[in-house]
């Protein structure tokens, strides 16, 4: 069951991220989406980790993939979150 294994990997990735092990969490999320690429929330969580490590290009790529997968799955909540992430990423910071 690839989906079950992917869910376990996502849970491990979330735990690693909470412990501050971002690179380990990224590796676990990547393994999860290789097993089951139809998990848009995993891509969005991956985007957040990349952003935390100031890897903006990778964050943008993961967020776009989250948006694409969410639209395909009819997952409005993750799609809206991915779109908001992308807009925030491309909107210049307010200088004031």
């Amino acid at each position: 069951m690839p989906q079950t294994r992917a869910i376990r990997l996502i849970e491990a990735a979330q735990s690693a991220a909470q412990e501050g092990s971002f690179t380990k969490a990224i590796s676990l999320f990547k393994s999860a989406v290789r097993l089951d690429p139809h998990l848009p929330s995993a891509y969005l969580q991956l985007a957040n980790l990349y952003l935390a490590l100031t890897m903006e290009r990778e964050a943008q790529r993961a967020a776009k993939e989250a948006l694409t997968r969410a639209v395909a799955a009819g997952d409005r909540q993750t799609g809206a979150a991915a779109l908001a992430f992308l807009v925030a990423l491309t909107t210049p910071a307010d200088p004031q």
Side-chain angles (χ1 to χ4, degrees):
M1 294 300 209
Q3 187 176 22
T4 304
R5 288 178 48 212
I7 297 298
R8 279 193 238 127
L9 285 169
I10 288 170
E11 291 169 352
Q14 291 168 335
S15 292
Q18 288 176 346
E19 294 169 2
S21 299
F22 292 166
T23 53
K24 180 180 179 180
I26 286 171
S27 177
L28 290 165
F29 274 120
K30 287 172 126 181
S31 294
V33 297
R34 272 193 296 274
L35 282 173
D36 187 354
H38 306 291
L39 299 168
S41 65
Y43 288 100
L44 187 55
Q45 291 176 75
L46 188 56
N48 281 301
L49 287 169
Y50 281 133
L51 190 58
L53 294 173
T54 63
M55 299 171 71
E56 290 185 14
R57 192 172 305 138
E58 291 84 354
Q60 185 177 31
R61 211 172 299 133
K64 284 181 179 178
E65 192 64 33
L67 180 57
T68 300
R69 300 288 178 170
V71 168
D75 181 349
R76 290 182 180 186
Q77 183 177 2
T78 303
L83 182 58
F85 183 96
L86 288 166
V87 168
L89 196 60
T90 57
T91 302
D94 187 7
Q96 296 177 352

